[in-house]
Amino acid sequence: WFARSRELLNASRVGFALLTASVISWTMMGFIKTVLAMLATFLMILGASTHSKRIIGGVMGDYLGCTICLTELVILGVYAADLSRVQHVAASEGLMEALCPFITLAIVVALPWGYGHFIVGNIRRPPQEC
């Protein structure tokens, strides 16, 4: 069935899945969190696809599974975020004070990637045939 994956994953099915997920998320979590979750998902997909093409020359099952799990964690983090508190801190103490936890988290998450590029360098491996 893998050979037919391009037939099965067509624009109408992807559109239906996005519409269904958006409506359910909007109903349960509200418009802002839905938009943030969709943006986070898009950024995760963009980052994972760029990284996989550069490092391993494509997508493998384990890499795809890991990407799905990490994207689910990011979406759950967006849903769990207390945006009203962020707005309150931004209004009372300034925007940078409100964004400080998010910037710290981004730095901590990016450290292994940056360390890998520093130690190993920017390795570009050509895609390999299986």
Side-chain angles (χ1 to χ4, degrees), residues 1-23:
W1 74 271
F2 189 70
R4 295 188 54 215
S5 63
R6 292 199 186 266
E7 296 173 27
L8 297 173
L9 189 62
N10 56 31
S12 62
R13 288 181 182 210
V14 171
F16 178 74
L18 283 172
L19 179 66
T20 305
S22 299
V23 168

Side-chain angles (χ1 to χ4, degrees), residues 56-78:
I56 59 177
V59 177
M60 296 177 4
D62 290 342
Y63 189 85
L64 183 61
C66 178
T67 302
I68 291 169
C69 289
L70 290 175
T71 303
E72 288 174 355
L73 286 173
V74 168
I75 291 170
L76 290 173
V78 168

Side-chain angles (χ1 to χ4, degrees), residues 23-77:
V23 168
I24 292 171
S25 177
W26 191 352
T27 304
M28 302 296 283
M29 303 305 290
F31 179 73
I32 298 295
K33 287 194 176 185
T34 298
V35 170
L36 290 174
M38 292 291 185
L39 179 64
T41 302
F42 175 74
L43 292 174
M44 288 292 293
I45 292 169
L46 185 66
S49 66
T50 303
H51 186 262
S52 71
K53 287 177 187 173
R54 187 169 35 113
I55 298 297
I56 59 177
V59 177
M60 296 177 4
D62 290 342
Y63 189 85
L64 183 61
C66 178
T67 302
I68 291 169
C69 289
L70 290 175
T71 303
E72 288 174 355
L73 286 173
V74 168
I75 291 170
L76 290 173

Side-chain angles (χ1 to χ4, degrees), residues 45-129:
I45 292 169
L46 185 66
S49 66
T50 303
H51 186 262
S52 71
K53 287 177 187 173
R54 187 169 35 113
I55 298 297
I56 59 177
V59 177
M60 296 177 4
D62 290 342
Y63 189 85
L64 183 61
C66 178
T67 302
I68 291 169
C69 289
L70 290 175
T71 303
E72 288 174 355
L73 286 173
V74 168
I75 291 170
L76 290 173
V78 168
Y79 288 158
D82 187 5
L83 298 178
S84 62
R85 183 165 183 246
V86 172
Q87 291 172 342
H88 174 72
V89 172
S92 63
E93 298 179 29
L95 182 62
M96 285 308 294
E97 191 68 31
L99 293 179
C100 188
F102 299 104
I103 294 170
T104 304
L105 179 63
I107 291 170
V108 168
V109 168
L111 278 176
W113 176 81
Y115 181 73
H117 278 281
F118 177 73
I119 296 297
V120 178
N122 196 0
I123 297 175
R124 293 185 187 263
R125 296 185 182 118
Q128 298 178 355
E129 294 293 326

